[in-house]
Amino acid sequence: KQEVTQIPAALSVPEGENLVLNCSFTDSAIYNLQWFRQDPGKGLTSLLLIQSSQREQTSGRLNASLDKSSGRSTLYIAASQPGDSATYLCAVMGGGSNYKLTFGKGTLLTVNP
Amino acid sequence: DGGITQSPKYLFRKEGQNVTLSCEQNLNHDAMYWYRQDPGQGLRLIYYSQIVNDFQKGDIAEGYSVSREKKESFPLTVTSAQKNPTAFYLCASSIQASYYGYTFGSGTRLTVV
């Protein structure tokens, strides 16, 4: 059974700092990995989608990497801003005929002005 | 604009009552999913449907029921058999292929009163 772990559970940084969020998964037979952002009481907003054949994806100040063989992904946020404060969730889509997503518990990020 | 609409945003249920959460999508996605989110637990899959008139149980299906009579709609009923229904419920959809990610709705917060 696929398990996804996110470290740290919570992170507080001053504005302007570069930061890295970590995600690990136990079964490397994945189709893709998706990073989401969730604001309090809201749904999930997709940030980046990395296919199993890709090493990284970039969108603005966000960069996500994937090392499928070691079961790891990182989300790098450059020059953090208070508006980046949210919970960040990592999810993997399993291999075979399994198109279900398995989620980590998330990292709660607070960027202080 | 294409997207997923969940309604209502807030729902209150009395003890012993069944309630139905609505999820509608206009993305022409094949697959639809229901997740439950509790503090500290992450997102857990309740039910999913890959095609019309077919659905499968997820990890925590007890006390819930679904139907998929139309491609656009995937309502979730929380029955009186669900002993701890207070949670945030999220609906998602995807194209039934590995290259695409999920799109989520804005969620329904269900509270037992």
Side-chain angles (χ1 to χ4, degrees):
Chain A
K1 180 183 175 184
Q2 180 74 270
E3 293 183 1
V4 179
T5 302
Q6 291 188 244
I7 295 173
L11 181 63
S12 181
V13 300
E15 182 177 2
E17 193 160 296
N18 302 327
L19 57 99
V20 174
L21 307 182
N22 296 292
C23 172
S24 61
F25 46 95
T26 55
D27 186 347
S28 61
I30 64 169
Y31 286 126
N32 59 51
L33 183 145
Q34 201 166 357
W35 282 94
F36 294 91
R37 168 186 172 135
Q38 186 177 32
D39 293 294
K42 306 292 186 184
L44 275 62
T45 299
S46 181
L47 297 173
L48 290 164
L49 172 66
I50 311 176
Q51 302 300 327
S52 61
S53 59
Q54 297 174 324
R55 297 286 290 182
E56 65 178 347
Q57 283 285 340
T58 298
S59 176
R61 294 182 293 108
L62 305 180
N63 176 277
S65 68
L66 174 64
D67 184 342
K68 198 176 78 161
S69 61
S70 68
R72 296 179 187 277
S73 175
T74 61
L75 179 65
Y76 175 82
I77 302 177
S80 58
Q81 303 170 357
D84 295 330
S85 298
T87 296
Y88 291 80
L89 294 160
C90 167
V92 297
M93 182 182 286
S97 60
N98 181 353
Y99 295 112
K100 294 181 289 184
L101 280 185
T102 302
F103 283 85
K105 294 182 178 180
T107 294
L108 175 61
L109 173 65
T110 303
V111 181
N112 301 298
Chain B
D1 287 337
I4 299 179
T5 301
Q6 289 188 242
S7 62
K9 189 176 176 73
Y10 299 97
L11 186 59
F12 297 91
R13 193 195 92 166
K14 295 181 180 179
E15 294 284 349
Q17 192 178 47
N18 292 353
V19 292
T20 298
L21 284 60
S22 172
C23 178
E24 304 274 336
Q25 55 100 358
N26 60 4
L27 299 167
N28 199 32
H29 284 176
D30 306 301
M32 297 186 73
Y33 311 83
W34 275 105
Y35 284 86
R36 169 179 171 143
Q37 187 176 34
D38 297 279
Q41 294 260 24
L43 275 76
R44 293 180 290 169
L45 182 63
I46 304 172
Y47 267 99
Y48 64 103
S49 168
Q50 296 173 320
I51 57 173
V52 175
N53 292 322
D54 186 51
F55 48 83
Q56 286 79 42
K57 294 181 179 180
D59 300 320
I60 56 164
E62 185 175 349
Y64 300 97
S65 66
V66 294
S67 63
R68 186 88 186 275
E69 298 176 0
K70 299 186 299 182
K71 188 175 185 178
E72 301 80 19
S73 179
F74 191 41
L76 173 74
T77 296
V78 184
T79 75
S80 57
Q82 171 49 240
K83 297 307 178 188
N84 185 22
T86 295
F88 191 51
Y89 291 87
L90 287 158
C91 179
S93 69
S94 71
I95 295 174
Q96 190 66 344
S98 62
Y99 197 75
Y100 300 93
Y102 280 30
T103 301
F104 276 82
S106 57
T108 293
R109 183 162 299 281
L110 174 63
T111 303
V112 174
V113 296

